[in-house]
Amino acid sequence: MFAGLRVAASRRGFATASTVNGFTEAVGNTPLIYLKTLSEQIGSKIYGKAEFQNPGGSVKDRAALGVVKNAEEKGLIKPGGTVVEGTAGNTGIGLAHVCRARGYNCVIYMPNTQSQEKIDLLRMLGADVRPVPAVAFDNPLNYNHQARDYALTLENAIWTDQFDNTANANAHYTSTGPEIWEQMQGDLDGFICATGTGGTLAGIGKYLKEKSGGKTQIWLADPPGSVLTSYIQSGGKLIERAGSSITEGIGQGRVTQNLGTFVDELSGAFTVPDEKSIAMVYELLHTEGLYLGASSALNVVAAVELAQKLGKGSKVATILCDGAYRYQSRLFSKAWLKSKGLEDAIPLHLKKYAVLD
């Protein structure tokens, strides 16, 4: 019996070949999960990059580490300094972890629409959290602008500027993209994910497109209320942002500088309705045992749809951004689902997972 187990273990391998030094060296090298049930249903192969296994719990650990290391390399911050950012949640959590690990103070400005779980976690990590009204980017009181302005009042401080600091995209170009390419052994037909800052999609997309010689198609998935699908499908025309989504931290009203490094090379884009995203949250829990947030579910819906566009036997990868535990008071609440008009989007046999009142 144990001989068989040893053989199975040797096939799995380890994410890293040796021990790592602290939190920051534990970021990355996440598994790429084959989503068996969905893949068999459509006759293609769907893979999810398990970014929820980063030490801070999300894909944003990579961007947080990337922008801080970039500032250190440029001499913009010294030991004991302060890192300030405007974030909808996960980048702030990643930054709070990185700041604890590297000896910095952390100040986070965020829209007051974010889940209480995220706010509580940030405070538990020692961050100074400042929720502010959610207003458009062109409003001077937008949370990003408030973060920038506050950083300017401090000595030995940086505003990490996650949306327009291309060290964000570079972190994915040098880590996430190469990991996916190696894990897929250079055989990947498509990659798709939603975007907030644009760093994940731009960095991974640029690497995969270069390595595949253009064979791997790179697509953008959008939540309702975002303008990026329209921008890409119209050939570069921005419309006014309207509507909203249950997803957090994705969707945009503009083309950020991170996304701008790659947007013209995208193969296409489409929008995923909230009804499909919430249904996939429950489907992934039921069929794959994966407890994921709505943005991860949106990405999987998009990966399935892209695989269907590319045809039977295609291989498509996406990002599993974070776990559902940061949103469970909403996603698994009957009252919340009803308030959003989403209770009927969940198939009857999956409603048993909505255990909160």
Side-chain angles (χ1 to χ4, degrees), residues 162-352:
Q162 61 163 327
F163 290 90
D164 296 312
N165 180 352
T166 55
N168 176 346
N170 189 60
H172 292 284
Y173 179 81
T174 58
S175 68
T176 330
E179 289 171 29
I180 292 172
W181 184 253
E182 181 179 349
Q183 288 165 324
M184 290 301 301
Q185 299 180 344
D187 184 12
L188 183 63
D189 299 298
F191 175 83
I192 188 167
C193 71
T195 180
T197 67
T200 303
L201 181 63
I204 295 173
K206 180 177 174 62
Y207 185 87
L208 294 177
K209 198 157 189 179
E210 287 178 359
K211 291 295 288 187
S212 69
K215 172 183 174 291
T216 303
Q217 292 193 24
I218 312 297
W219 286 63
L220 181 149
D222 234 6
S226 177
V227 306
L228 297 177
T229 292
S230 173
Y231 176 86
I232 292 162
Q233 292 180 347
S234 68
K237 295 179 182 178
L238 275 176
I239 61 172
E240 186 173 345
R241 190 170 188 176
S244 62
S245 171
I246 64 166
T247 58
E248 296 185 19
I250 56 174
Q252 259 298 347
R254 66 186 180 100
V255 177
T256 65
Q257 288 187 35
N258 277 292
L259 183 59
T261 64
F262 187 73
V263 67
D264 292 337
E265 299 181 58
L266 286 167
S267 302
F270 54 84
T271 297
V272 176
D274 280 347
E275 289 80 2
K276 289 187 177 181
S277 295
I278 193 67
M280 186 59 79
V281 168
Y282 283 70
E283 181 69 23
L284 288 167
L285 177 58
H286 184 67
T287 61
E288 305 288 349
L290 293 171
Y291 187 60
L292 301 171
S295 56
S296 300
L298 182 152
N299 283 346
V300 174
V301 172
V304 169
E305 293 189 13
L306 178 56
Q308 291 172 322
K309 290 177 185 291
L310 297 179
K312 294 282 187 181
S314 57
K315 297 179 179 179
V316 175
T318 191
I319 299 295
L320 307 181
C321 316
D322 63 4
Y325 64 92
R326 289 178 179 169
Y327 320 94
Q328 62 190 20
S329 64
R330 298 181 181 187
L331 297 179
F332 297 93
S333 162
K334 299 184 202 61
W336 184 84
L337 290 167
K338 185 175 182 179
S339 73
K340 297 296 180 181
L342 293 172
E343 56 185 340
D344 293 333
I346 300 168
L348 185 61
H349 71 287
L350 300 180
K351 288 182 182 291
K352 62 185 178 182

